[in-house]
Short mmCIF file of all heavy atoms in Angstrom, two decimals:
data_model
loop_
_atom_site.label_atom_id
_atom_site.label_comp_id
_atom_site.label_asym_id
_atom_site.label_seq_id
_atom_site.Cartn_x
_atom_site.Cartn_y
_atom_site.Cartn_z
N ALA A 1 92.26 -54.09 37.21
CA ALA A 1 92.83 -52.91 37.89
C ALA A 1 93.89 -53.41 38.82
O ALA A 1 93.87 -54.47 39.41
CB ALA A 1 91.67 -52.23 38.69
N ALA A 2 94.89 -52.50 39.02
CA ALA A 2 96.05 -52.84 39.78
C ALA A 2 95.80 -53.29 41.21
O ALA A 2 96.39 -54.29 41.76
CB ALA A 2 97.07 -51.71 39.81
N HIS A 3 94.86 -52.64 41.86
CA HIS A 3 94.54 -53.03 43.23
C HIS A 3 93.93 -54.37 43.33
O HIS A 3 94.10 -55.07 44.30
CB HIS A 3 93.70 -51.90 43.86
CG HIS A 3 92.26 -51.93 43.44
ND1 HIS A 3 91.89 -51.39 42.19
CD2 HIS A 3 91.11 -52.51 43.87
CE1 HIS A 3 90.55 -51.52 42.01
NE2 HIS A 3 90.08 -52.24 43.09
N ARG A 4 93.14 -54.84 42.26
CA ARG A 4 92.58 -56.17 42.25
C ARG A 4 93.70 -57.17 42.08
O ARG A 4 93.76 -58.21 42.74
CB ARG A 4 91.64 -56.33 41.11
CG ARG A 4 90.33 -55.53 41.39
CD ARG A 4 89.36 -56.55 42.10
NE ARG A 4 87.98 -56.02 42.07
CZ ARG A 4 87.07 -56.40 42.84
NH1 ARG A 4 87.34 -57.23 43.78
NH2 ARG A 4 85.92 -55.87 42.81
N LEU A 5 94.55 -56.89 41.12
CA LEU A 5 95.63 -57.91 40.80
C LEU A 5 96.64 -58.13 41.88
O LEU A 5 97.23 -59.20 41.95
CB LEU A 5 96.37 -57.43 39.50
CG LEU A 5 95.52 -57.40 38.24
CD1 LEU A 5 96.28 -56.91 37.03
CD2 LEU A 5 94.91 -58.75 37.97
N LYS A 6 96.83 -57.14 42.76
CA LYS A 6 97.69 -57.28 43.92
C LYS A 6 97.23 -58.46 44.81
O LYS A 6 97.94 -59.02 45.55
CB LYS A 6 97.79 -56.08 44.69
CG LYS A 6 98.60 -54.94 44.05
CD LYS A 6 98.66 -53.71 44.86
CE LYS A 6 99.47 -52.62 44.25
NZ LYS A 6 99.52 -51.40 45.02
N GLU A 7 95.88 -58.80 44.72
CA GLU A 7 95.28 -59.75 45.59
C GLU A 7 95.29 -61.15 44.88
O GLU A 7 94.75 -62.09 45.50
CB GLU A 7 93.82 -59.38 45.87
CG GLU A 7 93.65 -58.02 46.48
CD GLU A 7 92.17 -57.61 46.52
OE1 GLU A 7 91.39 -58.35 46.02
OE2 GLU A 7 91.97 -56.47 46.97
N ALA A 8 95.84 -61.27 43.76
CA ALA A 8 95.65 -62.50 42.97
C ALA A 8 96.95 -63.15 42.57
O ALA A 8 98.00 -62.48 42.28
CB ALA A 8 94.85 -62.16 41.66
N ASP A 9 96.95 -64.49 42.47
CA ASP A 9 98.01 -65.23 41.87
C ASP A 9 97.73 -65.57 40.44
O ASP A 9 98.61 -65.86 39.66
CB ASP A 9 98.26 -66.52 42.66
CG ASP A 9 98.75 -66.23 44.03
OD1 ASP A 9 99.82 -65.55 44.17
OD2 ASP A 9 98.11 -66.75 45.03
N ALA A 10 96.41 -65.61 40.07
CA ALA A 10 96.05 -65.93 38.69
C ALA A 10 94.59 -65.38 38.50
O ALA A 10 93.82 -65.22 39.49
CB ALA A 10 96.03 -67.40 38.41
N VAL A 11 94.24 -65.11 37.29
CA VAL A 11 92.87 -64.75 36.86
C VAL A 11 92.38 -65.83 35.94
O VAL A 11 93.08 -66.28 35.04
CB VAL A 11 92.90 -63.38 36.15
CG1 VAL A 11 91.54 -63.02 35.53
CG2 VAL A 11 93.33 -62.22 37.05
N LEU A 12 91.12 -66.16 36.14
CA LEU A 12 90.44 -67.12 35.20
C LEU A 12 89.46 -66.28 34.38
O LEU A 12 88.50 -65.78 34.98
CB LEU A 12 89.71 -68.19 35.91
CG LEU A 12 88.95 -69.23 34.98
CD1 LEU A 12 89.92 -69.97 34.06
CD2 LEU A 12 88.14 -70.17 35.79
N ALA A 13 89.76 -66.15 33.10
CA ALA A 13 88.80 -65.49 32.18
C ALA A 13 87.94 -66.54 31.52
O ALA A 13 88.34 -67.76 31.31
CB ALA A 13 89.57 -64.68 31.13
N MET A 14 86.80 -66.13 31.09
CA MET A 14 85.87 -67.11 30.48
C MET A 14 86.07 -67.38 29.01
O MET A 14 85.68 -68.44 28.52
CB MET A 14 84.40 -66.66 30.70
CG MET A 14 83.90 -66.69 32.14
SD MET A 14 83.90 -68.21 32.91
CE MET A 14 85.49 -68.09 33.97
N TYR A 15 86.71 -66.47 28.36
CA TYR A 15 86.95 -66.64 26.89
C TYR A 15 88.25 -65.93 26.48
O TYR A 15 88.74 -65.03 27.18
CB TYR A 15 85.77 -66.34 26.02
CG TYR A 15 85.20 -64.93 26.20
CD1 TYR A 15 85.68 -63.87 25.36
CD2 TYR A 15 84.28 -64.56 27.17
CE1 TYR A 15 85.21 -62.58 25.50
CE2 TYR A 15 83.77 -63.30 27.30
CZ TYR A 15 84.20 -62.31 26.45
OH TYR A 15 83.76 -61.00 26.60
N HIS A 16 88.72 -66.30 25.28
CA HIS A 16 90.04 -65.90 24.80
C HIS A 16 90.24 -64.39 24.86
O HIS A 16 91.19 -63.88 25.47
CB HIS A 16 90.13 -66.42 23.35
CG HIS A 16 91.45 -66.20 22.72
ND1 HIS A 16 91.87 -65.04 22.20
CD2 HIS A 16 92.53 -67.05 22.55
CE1 HIS A 16 93.11 -65.14 21.70
NE2 HIS A 16 93.50 -66.44 21.93
N ASP A 17 89.33 -63.65 24.21
CA ASP A 17 89.56 -62.19 24.16
C ASP A 17 89.02 -61.39 25.31
O ASP A 17 89.11 -60.19 25.28
CB ASP A 17 88.93 -61.63 22.80
CG ASP A 17 89.73 -61.96 21.58
OD1 ASP A 17 90.69 -62.80 21.76
OD2 ASP A 17 89.49 -61.45 20.50
N GLN A 18 88.62 -62.08 26.35
CA GLN A 18 88.27 -61.44 27.59
C GLN A 18 89.47 -61.14 28.41
O GLN A 18 89.69 -60.10 29.08
CB GLN A 18 87.27 -62.25 28.37
CG GLN A 18 86.80 -61.54 29.65
CD GLN A 18 85.94 -62.47 30.51
OE1 GLN A 18 86.25 -63.56 30.76
NE2 GLN A 18 84.71 -61.94 30.78
N GLY A 19 90.46 -62.15 28.39
CA GLY A 19 91.63 -62.13 29.26
C GLY A 19 92.92 -61.72 28.55
O GLY A 19 93.76 -61.02 29.14
N LEU A 20 93.11 -62.30 27.33
CA LEU A 20 94.45 -62.16 26.76
C LEU A 20 94.79 -60.77 26.24
O LEU A 20 96.07 -60.41 26.25
CB LEU A 20 94.58 -63.21 25.57
CG LEU A 20 94.45 -64.62 26.08
CD1 LEU A 20 94.97 -65.60 25.00
CD2 LEU A 20 95.25 -64.85 27.36
N PRO A 21 93.91 -59.93 25.79
CA PRO A 21 94.30 -58.54 25.36
C PRO A 21 95.05 -57.77 26.45
O PRO A 21 96.03 -57.06 26.19
CB PRO A 21 92.99 -57.86 24.90
CG PRO A 21 92.16 -59.04 24.49
CD PRO A 21 92.47 -60.12 25.45
N VAL A 22 94.51 -57.96 27.71
CA VAL A 22 95.18 -57.30 28.79
C VAL A 22 96.56 -57.76 28.99
O VAL A 22 97.50 -56.99 29.16
CB VAL A 22 94.33 -57.47 30.04
CG1 VAL A 22 95.00 -56.74 31.33
CG2 VAL A 22 92.91 -56.91 29.89
N LEU A 23 96.70 -59.04 28.99
CA LEU A 23 98.09 -59.65 29.28
C LEU A 23 99.00 -59.28 28.16
O LEU A 23 100.16 -58.92 28.40
CB LEU A 23 97.97 -61.18 29.43
CG LEU A 23 99.30 -61.82 29.87
CD1 LEU A 23 99.16 -62.79 30.98
CD2 LEU A 23 99.97 -62.39 28.68
N LYS A 24 98.52 -59.41 26.96
CA LYS A 24 99.50 -59.12 25.80
C LYS A 24 99.80 -57.68 25.73
O LYS A 24 100.90 -57.29 25.22
CB LYS A 24 98.86 -59.65 24.51
CG LYS A 24 98.81 -61.17 24.51
CD LYS A 24 98.51 -61.75 23.08
CE LYS A 24 98.71 -63.27 23.09
NZ LYS A 24 98.56 -63.86 21.76
N HIS A 25 98.93 -56.79 26.16
CA HIS A 25 99.26 -55.36 26.20
C HIS A 25 100.41 -55.15 27.19
O HIS A 25 101.32 -54.35 26.91
CB HIS A 25 98.00 -54.54 26.59
CG HIS A 25 98.37 -53.14 26.84
ND1 HIS A 25 98.57 -52.24 25.90
CD2 HIS A 25 98.42 -52.37 28.04
CE1 HIS A 25 98.81 -51.02 26.45
NE2 HIS A 25 98.72 -51.13 27.68
N ALA A 26 100.36 -55.93 28.26
CA ALA A 26 101.34 -55.68 29.31
C ALA A 26 102.69 -56.32 29.03
O ALA A 26 103.71 -55.90 29.48
CB ALA A 26 100.80 -56.19 30.69
N SER A 27 102.66 -57.42 28.23
CA SER A 27 103.90 -58.18 28.12
C SER A 27 104.13 -58.80 26.72
O SER A 27 104.92 -59.78 26.67
CB SER A 27 103.91 -59.31 29.15
OG SER A 27 102.90 -60.17 28.88
N PHE A 28 103.58 -58.29 25.70
CA PHE A 28 103.72 -58.93 24.41
C PHE A 28 105.25 -58.96 23.96
O PHE A 28 105.99 -57.94 24.12
CB PHE A 28 102.96 -58.26 23.26
CG PHE A 28 102.95 -58.99 21.97
CD1 PHE A 28 102.18 -60.16 21.83
CD2 PHE A 28 103.70 -58.63 20.88
CE1 PHE A 28 102.19 -60.89 20.65
CE2 PHE A 28 103.70 -59.29 19.70
CZ PHE A 28 102.94 -60.44 19.60
N GLY A 29 105.63 -60.11 23.53
CA GLY A 29 107.03 -60.30 23.16
C GLY A 29 107.83 -60.87 24.32
O GLY A 29 109.00 -61.37 24.02
N GLU A 30 107.32 -60.87 25.45
CA GLU A 30 108.00 -61.47 26.62
C GLU A 30 107.10 -62.27 27.45
O GLU A 30 107.36 -62.60 28.58
CB GLU A 30 108.71 -60.30 27.46
CG GLU A 30 109.75 -59.53 26.70
CD GLU A 30 110.47 -58.53 27.64
OE1 GLU A 30 109.99 -58.32 28.75
OE2 GLU A 30 111.47 -57.96 27.17
N GLY A 31 105.90 -62.59 26.91
CA GLY A 31 104.92 -63.43 27.64
C GLY A 31 105.20 -64.87 27.36
O GLY A 31 105.97 -65.23 26.42
N VAL A 32 104.52 -65.75 28.08
CA VAL A 32 104.73 -67.15 28.00
C VAL A 32 103.35 -67.83 27.95
O VAL A 32 102.47 -67.50 28.72
CB VAL A 32 105.48 -67.70 29.29
CG1 VAL A 32 105.73 -69.21 29.15
CG2 VAL A 32 106.85 -67.02 29.32
N ASN A 33 103.17 -68.77 27.01
CA ASN A 33 101.99 -69.56 26.92
C ASN A 33 102.26 -70.91 27.64
O ASN A 33 103.21 -71.60 27.31
CB ASN A 33 101.74 -69.74 25.49
CG ASN A 33 100.33 -70.44 25.25
OD1 ASN A 33 99.81 -71.10 26.12
ND2 ASN A 33 99.77 -70.25 24.08
N ILE A 34 101.42 -71.24 28.61
CA ILE A 34 101.57 -72.44 29.43
C ILE A 34 100.38 -73.40 29.29
O ILE A 34 99.24 -72.85 29.37
CB ILE A 34 101.80 -72.08 30.86
CG1 ILE A 34 102.94 -71.08 31.07
CG2 ILE A 34 102.06 -73.33 31.80
CD1 ILE A 34 102.95 -70.26 32.34
N THR A 35 100.60 -74.66 29.04
CA THR A 35 99.53 -75.63 28.98
C THR A 35 99.38 -76.28 30.35
O THR A 35 100.35 -77.07 30.71
CB THR A 35 99.71 -76.64 27.86
OG1 THR A 35 99.92 -75.90 26.68
CG2 THR A 35 98.51 -77.54 27.69
N LEU A 36 98.33 -76.07 31.03
CA LEU A 36 98.07 -76.74 32.35
C LEU A 36 97.28 -78.06 32.14
O LEU A 36 96.54 -78.09 31.14
CB LEU A 36 97.35 -75.81 33.22
CG LEU A 36 97.92 -74.36 33.50
CD1 LEU A 36 96.95 -73.60 34.44
CD2 LEU A 36 99.33 -74.51 34.09
N GLY A 37 97.40 -78.98 33.00
CA GLY A 37 96.68 -80.20 33.02
C GLY A 37 97.36 -81.30 32.33
O GLY A 37 96.97 -82.46 32.42
N LEU A 38 98.46 -81.07 31.59
CA LEU A 38 99.19 -82.15 30.90
C LEU A 38 100.01 -82.95 31.93
O LEU A 38 100.40 -82.35 33.03
CB LEU A 38 100.11 -81.65 29.83
CG LEU A 38 99.53 -80.94 28.60
CD1 LEU A 38 100.63 -80.27 27.78
CD2 LEU A 38 98.81 -82.00 27.82
N PRO A 39 100.33 -84.19 31.74
CA PRO A 39 101.27 -84.88 32.61
C PRO A 39 102.70 -84.50 32.39
O PRO A 39 103.58 -84.97 33.16
CB PRO A 39 101.10 -86.36 32.22
CG PRO A 39 100.65 -86.29 30.75
CD PRO A 39 99.82 -85.05 30.62
N ILE A 40 102.96 -83.63 31.51
CA ILE A 40 104.30 -83.07 31.25
C ILE A 40 104.29 -81.57 31.33
O ILE A 40 103.20 -80.93 31.23
CB ILE A 40 104.87 -83.47 29.86
CG1 ILE A 40 103.96 -82.94 28.75
CG2 ILE A 40 104.92 -84.99 29.80
CD1 ILE A 40 104.50 -83.16 27.42
N ILE A 41 105.44 -80.89 31.43
CA ILE A 41 105.52 -79.50 31.45
C ILE A 41 105.74 -79.02 30.03
O ILE A 41 106.55 -79.48 29.28
CB ILE A 41 106.73 -79.03 32.32
CG1 ILE A 41 106.38 -79.31 33.80
CG2 ILE A 41 107.10 -77.61 32.13
CD1 ILE A 41 107.60 -79.13 34.74
N ARG A 42 104.81 -77.98 29.66
CA ARG A 42 104.95 -77.39 28.33
C ARG A 42 104.74 -75.89 28.43
O ARG A 42 103.65 -75.46 28.92
CB ARG A 42 103.98 -78.05 27.38
CG ARG A 42 104.06 -77.39 25.97
CD ARG A 42 103.01 -76.39 25.68
NE ARG A 42 103.18 -75.74 24.40
CZ ARG A 42 102.27 -74.99 23.77
NH1 ARG A 42 101.07 -74.85 24.29
NH2 ARG A 42 102.55 -74.42 22.63
N THR A 43 105.65 -75.16 27.91
CA THR A 43 105.48 -73.71 27.77
C THR A 43 105.82 -73.36 26.30
O THR A 43 106.38 -74.09 25.53
CB THR A 43 106.43 -72.92 28.67
OG1 THR A 43 107.75 -73.12 28.23
CG2 THR A 43 106.25 -73.29 30.10
N SER A 44 105.46 -72.19 25.94
CA SER A 44 105.62 -71.69 24.54
C SER A 44 105.79 -70.17 24.54
O SER A 44 105.52 -69.45 25.47
CB SER A 44 104.45 -72.14 23.67
OG SER A 44 104.62 -71.86 22.30
N VAL A 45 106.18 -69.75 23.35
CA VAL A 45 106.21 -68.29 23.13
C VAL A 45 104.84 -67.73 22.89
O VAL A 45 103.88 -68.47 22.74
CB VAL A 45 107.08 -67.97 21.89
CG1 VAL A 45 108.49 -68.37 22.02
CG2 VAL A 45 106.48 -68.69 20.63
N ASP A 46 104.75 -66.46 23.05
CA ASP A 46 103.37 -65.78 22.96
C ASP A 46 103.14 -65.18 21.54
O ASP A 46 102.22 -64.36 21.42
CB ASP A 46 103.17 -64.71 24.04
CG ASP A 46 104.07 -63.52 23.78
OD1 ASP A 46 105.02 -63.53 22.95
OD2 ASP A 46 103.86 -62.49 24.52
N HIS A 47 103.94 -65.57 20.57
CA HIS A 47 103.80 -64.98 19.25
C HIS A 47 103.81 -66.00 18.12
O HIS A 47 103.98 -67.26 18.45
CB HIS A 47 105.00 -63.95 18.99
CG HIS A 47 106.28 -64.52 19.14
ND1 HIS A 47 106.92 -65.41 18.22
CD2 HIS A 47 107.24 -64.46 20.16
CE1 HIS A 47 108.07 -65.81 18.63
NE2 HIS A 47 108.31 -65.25 19.79
N GLY A 48 103.68 -65.63 16.88
CA GLY A 48 103.51 -66.49 15.81
C GLY A 48 104.84 -66.72 15.10
O GLY A 48 105.91 -66.39 15.58
#
């Protein structure tokens, strides 16, 4: 919900389809896939 997200810098979802449908609904085609934890910076497109 919008009032919750105003309080957040990030959301941690427990599984793939718990979190990503919401994000892709909001920004599909302009979203970014980011791999955290690597010693290098890596981003990617959000589509196939």
Side-chain angles (χ1 to χ4, degrees):
H3 71 280
R4 286 271 193 201
L5 295 178
K6 286 180 181 178
E7 305 168 359
D9 295 303
V11 172
L12 178 63
M14 293 299 103
Y15 56 94
H16 187 280
D17 283 11
Q18 184 185 55
L20 296 195
V22 179
L23 186 136
K24 291 195 175 186
H25 172 74
S27 62
F28 189 73
E30 296 184 352
V32 181
N33 189 335
I34 304 160
T35 306
L36 306 179
L38 292 172
I40 63 174
I41 290 170
R42 181 260 173 166
T43 67
S44 184
V45 295
D46 69 348
H47 56 74

